[in-house]
Amino acid sequence: QITLKESGPTLVKPTQTLTLTCTFSGFSLTTSGVGVGWIRQPPGKALEWLALIYWHDEERYNPSLKSRLTITKDTSKNQVVLTMTNMDPVDTVTYYCVRFTVTTFGFDYWGQGTRVTVSS
Amino acid sequence: ILMTQSPATLSVSPGERATLSCRASQSVSSNLAWYQQKPGQAPRLLIYGASTRATGIPARFSGSGSGTEFTLTISSLQSEDLTVYYCQQYNDWPATFGQGTKVELK
């Protein structure tokens, strides 16, 4: 059974750095063709892809946010970490961890999501 | 690549066919996926490769199209299908999503 779960702070202050951790099970990020990424969604609005890290360590970022994002992986812990710097109230959204595979090129498994509020 | 979905809201009676559209601002070949999102839940992958159903997806869901025009069809709407649907292209990074179509009861 494949599961992903996001963890991290629910409240951060403006200008602070957000660190979110995705802990997954049921697959390995050392398997060829697999990636883990992050997608976010404002309340009632559309989805926005943020970043992805592949099994072979390649990283991809949304250009609109690239300067603020870093994605890393720890395969021994089955974890992927996303950091986002200089948080702003507009970053108050739900963040999802997702699995990606080159088999489907879709995001085939999602975490439950974690809502982050940016407020002083 | 900008993805535009229409209509924003689709009113359908149970048992009827629902047809949702998605248009890309440039060709994405067949590199398109559809997702279903129910309130308070994460999205679920329905279709990838424009027309291939993901694992466990009922046969009443079908996808078609290529290039810039795509369609998601629900052949006989069930009550549990009344929710929001998103298209997403993965032909070029960054992957981009449409703004969603809400399917509601007529």
Side-chain angles (χ1 to χ4, degrees):
Chain A
Q1 182 186 3
I2 292 174
T3 64
L4 303 97
K5 186 172 184 178
E6 307 85 355
S7 60
T10 58
L11 178 66
V12 298
K13 291 181 168 51
T15 76
Q16 287 188 335
T17 294
L18 172 69
T19 299
L20 294 175
T21 300
C22 174
T23 304
F24 56 87
S25 63
F27 68 96
S28 173
L29 200 39
T30 61
T31 300
S32 178
V34 175
V36 172
W38 293 88
I39 290 171
R40 71 178 184 175
Q41 184 176 36
K45 295 188 177 180
L47 301 152
E48 180 181 30
W49 171 76
L50 300 178
L52 180 77
I53 189 163
Y54 289 98
W55 77 100
H56 58 286
D57 296 331
E58 181 182 357
E59 302 162 26
R60 288 195 177 271
Y61 296 98
N62 191 320
S64 66
L65 292 163
K66 184 176 182 178
S67 63
R68 299 174 55 202
L69 297 175
T70 304
I71 190 168
T72 60
K73 64 183 176 75
D74 185 334
T75 53
S76 67
K77 294 182 179 179
N78 281 351
Q79 290 182 335
V80 169
V81 174
L82 180 75
T83 60
M84 179 180 290
T85 61
N86 194 25
M87 293 293 285
D88 183 272
V90 299
D91 298 315
T92 295
V93 302
T94 295
Y95 292 80
Y96 294 101
C97 174
V98 295
R99 191 185 84 149
F100 170 91
T101 72
V102 298
T103 303
T104 67
F105 283 94
F107 302 110
D108 59 355
Y109 288 91
W110 295 61
Q112 64 190 18
T114 184
R115 179 169 172 83
V116 176
T117 299
V118 184
S119 175
S120 55
Chain B
I1 298 175
L2 180 65
M3 306 301 292
T4 303
Q5 291 185 242
S6 61
T9 303
L10 182 63
S11 298
V12 185
S13 299
E16 285 189 346
R17 176 186 298 261
T19 302
L20 290 68
S21 296
C22 175
R23 174 177 291 177
S25 60
Q26 65 188 72
S27 177
V28 297
S29 186
S30 295
N31 298 316
L32 184 107
W34 290 94
Y35 299 84
Q36 177 193 66
Q37 186 177 29
K38 296 184 176 181
Q41 296 185 16
R44 175 175 70 149
L45 178 66
L46 296 177
I47 301 284
Y48 63 91
S51 60
T52 303
R53 277 189 302 276
T55 303
I57 301 303
R60 65 180 182 273
F61 291 94
S62 63
S64 63
S66 67
T68 62
E69 301 284 342
F70 300 89
T71 300
L72 174 69
T73 302
I74 309 172
S75 60
S76 178
L77 193 79
Q78 307 295 304
S79 57
E80 61 264 31
D81 303 333
L82 296 171
T83 190
V84 180
Y85 296 83
Y86 294 96
C87 63
Q88 175 237 327
Q89 68 80 23
Y90 48 85
N91 192 65
D92 281 326
W93 294 103
T96 48
F97 292 84
Q99 78 278 20
T101 290
K102 181 179 181 180
V103 178
E104 65 175 23
L105 195 60
K106 190 173 184 179

